[in-house]
Amino acid sequence: MPNIQISAKGSEIMAAMRAPGKKVIASIGGLGSAKSWHSWLGLCELVLSTPRARYCVATGTGPQLKRGPWREVTEAFEDHYGVFPRMNRTEMTMTLPNGSVIFFVSAQIKPREVKGMNLNGAVIDEADVVSREFAEM
């Protein structure tokens, strides 16, 4: 069972993401409270500081990925960190200059397919639309 940490503040979200060990971080807050944005910044820091890392971003459906996480993570890298990942919109992947890769997947994908990706970690956006089986992988 992973260690679960609940956080409402962006600094706490990012600190929890940097902490060693496998964990689940639940970010709680109202609409517009920047929960996702701070998760993206934490993900960017992790990926940029870990060469050849493999992370996954998941949310409910493919269209939700493109409207939300794909666009927001791109903005985080480009605007906040000045990094321009190589993007493959067909495969829904971003490859960073340090060789790290972020896979963007719909939570409708079979959990065993995600397990086969040999990930360092994952960020689930809008966890209420993700199946329990997917979240527990």
Side-chain angles (χ1 to χ4, degrees), residues 59-89:
T59 196
T61 66
Q64 286 173 316
L65 274 171
K66 291 178 183 173
R67 281 192 310 270
W70 178 268
R71 181 181 52 78
E72 294 164 355
V73 172
T74 300
E75 288 175 11
F77 275 122
E78 293 177 357
D79 299 343
H80 197 76
Y81 293 96
V83 173
F84 297 85
R86 188 176 67 236
M87 296 186 278
N88 182 325
R89 287 178 176 83

Side-chain angles (χ1 to χ4, degrees), residues 1-24:
M1 180 74 161
N3 177 24
I4 298 177
Q5 181 167 342
I6 299 174
S7 174
K9 297 179 184 170
S11 59
E12 292 175 2
I13 293 169
M14 293 178 68
M17 290 180 84
R18 283 187 218 106
K22 194 172 187 177
K23 63 190 134 324
V24 172

Side-chain angles (χ1 to χ4, degrees), residues 1-5 15-26 46 54-55 114-116 118-124 133-137:
M1 180 74 161
N3 177 24
I4 298 177
Q5 181 167 342
M17 290 180 84
R18 283 187 218 106
K22 194 172 187 177
K23 63 190 134 324
V24 172
I25 302 164
L46 283 171
R54 297 169 62 89
Y55 280 86
V114 176
K115 284 182 181 178
N118 193 25
L119 300 171
N120 294 80
V123 176
I124 300 173
E133 181 186 13
F134 188 95
E136 290 178 346
M137 62 166 184

Side-chain angles (χ1 to χ4, degrees), residues 11-115:
S11 59
E12 292 175 2
I13 293 169
M14 293 178 68
M17 290 180 84
R18 283 187 218 106
K22 194 172 187 177
K23 63 190 134 324
V24 172
I25 302 164
S27 177
I28 298 171
L31 183 64
S33 63
K35 300 175 303 294
S36 294
W37 180 249
H38 289 289
S39 295
W40 305 145
L41 292 178
L43 174 66
C44 289
E45 283 190 16
L46 283 171
V47 172
L48 290 170
S49 66
T50 312
R52 307 196 61 77
R54 297 169 62 89
Y55 280 86
C56 172
V57 171
T59 196
T61 66
Q64 286 173 316
L65 274 171
K66 291 178 183 173
R67 281 192 310 270
W70 178 268
R71 181 181 52 78
E72 294 164 355
V73 172
T74 300
E75 288 175 11
F77 275 122
E78 293 177 357
D79 299 343
H80 197 76
Y81 293 96
V83 173
F84 297 85
R86 188 176 67 236
M87 296 186 278
N88 182 325
R89 287 178 176 83
T90 303
E91 296 292 323
M92 293 295 290
T93 61
M94 289 184 186
T95 304
L96 284 294
N98 68 357
S100 292
V101 179
I102 302 174
F103 300 90
F104 291 78
V105 300
S106 162
Q108 297 169 337
I109 192 172
K110 293 177 178 69
R112 70 176 177 269
E113 292 177 35
V114 176
K115 284 182 181 178

